[in-house]
């Protein structure tokens, strides 16, 4: 599954993925590896939820640098920063990702949901909720979260990729998997593993062409 990674949300910044801890630049997405479909980075620009002063941005950037450097004390400082700046979704989402990586699923979910309240138009927040659900086998909830990510941010490529994974592997809807993979590619999601996605698209097209229409429709119910 594609996670938001260390990208920018609300005070521009989400720092790590739910699994591998890949660091990426503002406006890109890192990844959470899927056993069947390991992936690389994908474009996912995210608008800010609340304007921040240059001083606040500088403080936040310094915190991110410390987190990237592995400074464990930076987590507590980020919690204090978030408490003092409750209108920013980025710190909440970062803290949720940290909780998720430590195994605190419930704590991560609470923080993601708070971030969604702060930034209702941030697709990355819903994407992370979807990744969290998928990692714990709640694929219907993951589907809904990815759909919300797309609804609020229609150009959020990672959510289309993740929906494709869900529809191909877990809630078998091959035609919808094909549709979402194609949209992912159309949005430029070809970096690193784009050739693999094209192979999946070709295989899904082949399977769809070999399946009687009646059977496809019945299977999509």
């Amino acid at each position: 599954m594609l996670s938001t990674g260390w990208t920018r949300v609300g005070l521009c910044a989400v720092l790590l993925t739910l699994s591998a801890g890949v660091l990426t630049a503002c406006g890109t997405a890192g990844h959470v590896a899927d056993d069947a479909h390991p992936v690389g980075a994908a474009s996912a620009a995210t608008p800010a939820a609340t304007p921040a002063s240059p001083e606040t941005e500088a403080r936040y950037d310094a915190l991110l640098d410390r987190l990237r450097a592995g400074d464990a004390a930076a987590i507590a400082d980020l919690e204090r920063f978030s408490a003092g700046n409750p209108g920013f979704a980025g710190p909440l989402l970062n803290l949720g990702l940290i909780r998720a990586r430590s195994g605190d699923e419930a704590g991560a979910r609470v923080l993601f949901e708070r971030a969604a309240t702060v930034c209702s138009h941030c697709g990355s927040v819903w994407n992370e909720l979807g990744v969290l659900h998928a990692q714990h086998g709640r694929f219907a909830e993951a589907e809904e979260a990815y759909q919300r990510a797309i609804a609020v941010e229609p150009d959020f490529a990672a959510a289309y990729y993740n929906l494709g994974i869900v529809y191909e592997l877990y809630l078998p809807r091959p035609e919808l998997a094909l549709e979402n993979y194609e949209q992912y590619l159309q949005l430029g999601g070809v970096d690193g593993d784009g050739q693999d996605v094209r192979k999946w698209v070709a295989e899904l097209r082949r399977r769809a062409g070999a399946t009687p229409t009646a059977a496809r429709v019945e299977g999509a119910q």
Side-chain angles (χ1 to χ4, degrees), residues 44-57:
T46 305
T50 304
S53 69
E55 294 78 10
T56 303
E57 286 274 10

Side-chain angles (χ1 to χ4, degrees), residues 23-96:
L23 306 186
T24 64
C26 181
T28 63
H31 74 276
V32 168
D34 174 86
D35 290 339
H37 295 160
V39 298
S43 176
T46 305
T50 304
S53 69
E55 294 78 10
T56 303
E57 286 274 10
R59 287 178 55 208
Y60 193 41
D61 286 343
L63 279 170
L64 301 193
D65 288 341
R66 290 172 57 197
L67 286 167
R68 291 186 182 99
D71 182 353
I75 296 175
D77 289 342
L78 180 61
E79 289 173 341
R80 285 189 286 271
F81 180 92
S82 182
N85 296 276
F88 297 132
L92 293 168
L93 191 47
N94 280 324
L95 290 168

Side-chain angles (χ1 to χ4, degrees), residues 123-161:
S124 53
V125 175
W126 291 104
N127 187 65
E128 293 306 331
L129 273 169
V131 171
L132 189 68
H133 285 311
Q135 287 184 334
H136 291 84
R138 298 188 297 270
F139 300 112
E141 290 89 341
E143 174 193 25
E144 181 179 357
Y146 297 141
Q147 289 172 338
R148 288 291 297 272
I150 291 167
V152 300
E153 203 169 332
D155 291 339
F156 197 99
Y160 291 100
Y161 177 96

Side-chain angles (χ1 to χ4, degrees), residues 81-120:
F81 180 92
S82 182
N85 296 276
F88 297 132
L92 293 168
L93 191 47
N94 280 324
L95 290 168
L97 288 163
I98 291 166
R99 292 284 184 91
R101 290 189 72 210
S102 71
D104 182 3
E105 180 199 354
R109 187 171 179 176
V110 167
L111 286 161
F112 291 158
E113 289 173 348
R114 284 175 58 194
T117 299
V118 169
C119 185
S120 61

